[in-house]
Amino acid sequence: MPLVSDFVKRLYKMLEDPSVQHIVSWSPHGDTFVVKDMSEFTVTVLPKHFKHSNFASFVRQLNKYDFHKIKTTDDVLFGEQSWTFHHPNFNAHKLDKLMHIKRKPPVSRAPAPECTSTHASDLQSQLEYLSEAQAETSSQIRNLDLKWQDMRATMSDFQRNIAQQDQLMQALAQNFWHPGSHHASHHGMSCHSCIVDGFA
């Protein structure tokens, strides 16, 4: 692929990597690609294939090459958190079309509507990324809170059991070292009777 840009080469090579298919892959028809797990993609795949770990930067780069985030029926298959991207010349089965994917030239100030549309699309992608990242963080916080509550309940039960065992040990120790006075005096009287009877 000598005439294909470095970014597109990296993108295609990433999608052909069998070790990341559970994280990012071609769609069933090969005409789009899907990021199935955004968090894992950011931590694992981006550093390996693009030498950074910034998902928003990756999306901006896709926009510069005229890739677009789209909604498809495959979203149900891969989950609501998945991101599907499309470019008319980016296809798993049409390598000869990759050379037609070019970085968009800088937009001049003259055609204001086009510039505004491109900028709005970029902002929309970033907002969606931030929104999903916030939702994931909130979910993780809720899970941590539930685990903390469970841990507190477990500690409370443990402390209650320790207190009960401590009370039991104290009661046993008291009975062992300080037997009842009634039993002690009765035992003394019995011994005294035995002595008197012996001299009688």
Side-chain angles (χ1 to χ4, degrees), residues 31-42:
D31 56 346
T32 61
F33 75 92
V34 186
V35 178
K36 305 171 186 176
D37 188 331
M38 181 180 63
S39 298
E40 189 66 23
F41 178 80
T42 301

Side-chain angles (χ1 to χ4, degrees), residues 7 128 168:
F7 175 76
E128 290 180 4
L168 178 60

